[in-house]
């Protein structure tokens, strides 16, 4: 059973240090008061998430975020350009910041963003507290772009949901680390590497986040993530017996099984917005596995391929 709540009920739960699910333009988030250890512990418990993994904290304005983290000139420029929107900046925490150490996993930095969703913004503004929110799924499972996906992940233990339609971007935010000497892209997303590079010619791509023993630089980027129950076979050029197909572009491979085409016209933005929905649907079918057609590794295609390689690594 799913329990939907109103905005005012959501605020009541949050004040009582409870976690609730709220919509954003990227994916649904499991949100709680970022200044409360008890509230953040509730997120980790519900997600069954390793506690070394820091959370992204959400704000409604740059001024509000400036109370908690330090903005360089570059950070201010990028946040003005891309917020509200699907870009998370890793910035130095202010020394007296009241953010829970559980939320930042004890790091001196914090991932921050302003989500571009009217309900999320209304919630953030009305409660006037920073909300930590990872994607609203059990750790390692497929991210939710609809309320029904939240239920699919948590089952009857699903937390209370503030409904807000389908997430239009459909992939988690781009993560850009501005806390070190050179800007580093830690997670590809809707705001692409190419776009960011126009503002930062020295932009580099984060140390491979796939290594489970990598330093704590991007601890959430474990190699196996978004794991569906079925086997994923990448770059498929043919269909094997009883596989279902995740297709891309105008010419899906011939198959007798089920096809979900991310974008018949080969549009990467459309493909990203359908990606997690497609995994949820295909994974629920009976099959011997999910064959995935190649997706061009450019722009948003990088972000899709990043999620695909994690979904395939089990
Ligand atoms: O689109 C999104 O970003 C969604 C919505 C709900 O806003 N949230 C999301 O959060 O994807 P989550 O917790 O699933 O992903 C957070 C990622 C993790 O991979 C974590 O390692 C990284 O951000 N991260 C957070 N704080 C960090 C920090 N201080 N340094 C390095 N990486 C950090
Ligand atoms: Mg996640």
């Amino acid at each position: 059973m799913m329990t939907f709540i109103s905005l005012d009920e959501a605020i009541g739960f949050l004040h009582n240090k409870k976690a609730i699910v709220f919509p954003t333009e990227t994916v649904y988030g499991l949100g709680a008061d970022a200044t409360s250890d008890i509230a953040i512990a509730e997120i980790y418990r519900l997600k069954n998430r390793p506690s070394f993994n820091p959370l992204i904290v959400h704000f409604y304005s740059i001024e509000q975020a400036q109370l908690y983290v330090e903005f360089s000139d570059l950070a201010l420029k990028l946040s003005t350009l891309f917020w509200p929107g699907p870009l998370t900046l890793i910035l130095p925490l202010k020394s007296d910041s009241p953010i829970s150490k559980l939320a930042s996993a004890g790091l001196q930095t914090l991932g921050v963003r302003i989500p571009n969703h009217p309900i999320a913004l209304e919630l953030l503004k009305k409660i006037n507290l920073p909300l930590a929110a990872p994607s609203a799924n059990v750790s390692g499972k497929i991210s939710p772009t609809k309320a029904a996906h939240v239920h699919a992940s948590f089952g009857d233990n699903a937390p209370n949901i503030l409904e807000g339609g389908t997430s239009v971007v459909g992939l988690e935010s781009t993560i850009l680390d501005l806390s070190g000497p050179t800007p580093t892209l830690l997670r590809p997303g809707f705001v692409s590497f190419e776009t960011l590079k126009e503002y930062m010619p020295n932009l580099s791509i984060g140390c491979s986040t796939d290594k489970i023993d990598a330093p704590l630089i991007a601890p959430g980027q474990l190699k196996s993530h978004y794991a569906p129950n079925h086997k994923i076979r990448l770059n498929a050029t043919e269909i094997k017996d009883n596989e279902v197909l995740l297709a891309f572009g105008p010419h899906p491979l011939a198959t007798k099984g089920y096809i979900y085409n991310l974008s018949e016209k080969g549009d990467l933005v459309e493909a990203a917005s359908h990606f997690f929905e497609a995994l949820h649907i295909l994974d629920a079918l009976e099959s011997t596995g999910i064959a995935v057609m190649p997706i061009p590794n450019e722009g948003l295609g990088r972000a899709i391929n990043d999620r695909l390689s994690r979904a395939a690594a089990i």
Side-chain angles (χ1 to χ4, degrees):
M1 205 190 69
M2 281 193 280
T3 309
F4 293 108
I5 51 174
S6 68
L7 192 81
D8 286 335
E9 287 170 325
I11 289 171
F13 281 116
L14 291 167
H15 277 311
N16 285 325
K17 318 287 181 216
K18 295 280 186 278
I20 57 117
V21 175
F22 70 95
T24 85
E25 82 282 29
T26 56
V27 298
Y28 274 73
L30 179 61
D33 177 355
T35 64
S36 160
D37 288 339
I38 294 172
I40 301 304
E42 177 75 356
I43 291 183
Y44 287 118
R45 184 184 68 76
L46 284 164
K47 276 191 72 94
N48 201 9
R49 181 173 190 153
S51 56
F52 53 76
N53 202 340
L55 305 176
I56 293 172
V57 177
H58 300 69
F59 299 91
Y60 67 84
S61 72
I62 295 176
E63 292 69 30
Q64 187 200 15
Q66 280 175 319
L67 302 173
Y68 300 88
V69 285
E70 305 281 358
F71 280 72
S72 62
D73 289 346
L74 177 62
L76 210 47
K77 180 173 174 186
L78 294 173
S79 54
T80 307
L81 279 166
F82 293 101
W83 287 356
L87 176 67
T88 292
L89 299 178
I90 308 293
L91 300 176
L93 262 175
K94 288 199 155 172
S95 53
D96 56 350
S97 173
I99 297 291
S100 152
K101 294 227 174 349
L102 261 185
S104 61
L107 301 175
Q108 303 300 315
T109 57
L110 191 69
V112 295
R113 83 179 189 101
I114 301 180
N116 190 13
H117 191 293
I119 294 175
L121 287 171
E122 208 186 332
L123 174 69
L124 285 160
K125 192 157 191 179
K126 216 163 167 187
I127 194 161
N128 197 24
L129 279 173
L131 295 184
S135 49
N137 52 278
V138 175
S139 201
K141 294 293 179 192
I142 305 169
S143 300
T145 55
K146 293 183 168 169
H149 298 163
V150 176
H151 185 253
S153 181
F154 289 96
D156 287 338
N157 299 324
N160 294 320
I161 302 174
L162 181 59
E163 156 80 298
T166 300
S167 300
V168 292
V169 171
L171 288 181
E172 299 88 344
S173 60
T174 304
I175 301 183
L176 175 65
D177 187 352
L178 294 180
S179 67
T182 43
T184 309
L185 186 82
L186 297 182
R187 179 170 75 184
F190 188 83
V191 179
S192 70
F193 177 76
E194 292 87 341
T195 300
L196 291 173
K197 189 133 176 123
E198 285 174 30
Y199 302 96
M200 294 157 276
N202 61 341
L203 178 64
S204 65
I205 293 190
C207 75
S208 181
T209 50
D210 317 2
K211 294 193 194 84
I212 288 180
D213 56 354
L216 203 60
I217 186 74
Q221 309 295 68
L222 304 182
K223 189 165 179 183
S224 169
H225 210 83
Y226 311 109
N229 296 314
H230 285 95
K231 216 173 110 231
I232 301 252
R233 192 164 64 80
L234 299 178
N235 296 314
T237 52
E238 24 118 57
I239 306 295
K240 297 186 177 162
D241 278 348
N242 296 319
E243 277 182 334
V244 290
L245 178 67
L246 184 63
F248 176 80
H251 299 295
L253 308 171
T255 171
K256 281 186 239 138
Y258 189 91
I259 301 177
Y260 190 112
N261 198 327
L262 289 171
S263 170
E264 280 175 20
K265 44 181 201 275
D267 180 298
L268 288 167
V269 173
E270 183 184 31
S273 73
H274 294 154
F275 177 69
F276 285 125
E277 162 84 347
L279 282 188
H280 278 282
I281 290 177
L282 293 177
D283 201 34
L285 298 170
E286 231 170 84
S287 75
T288 55
I290 303 171
V292 184
M293 285 174 68
I295 298 191
N297 205 35
E298 62 194 38
L300 203 42
R302 284 181 204 264
I304 299 172
N305 284 324
D306 169 73
R307 306 313 189 270
L308 271 174
S309 64
R310 289 174 211 287
I314 296 181

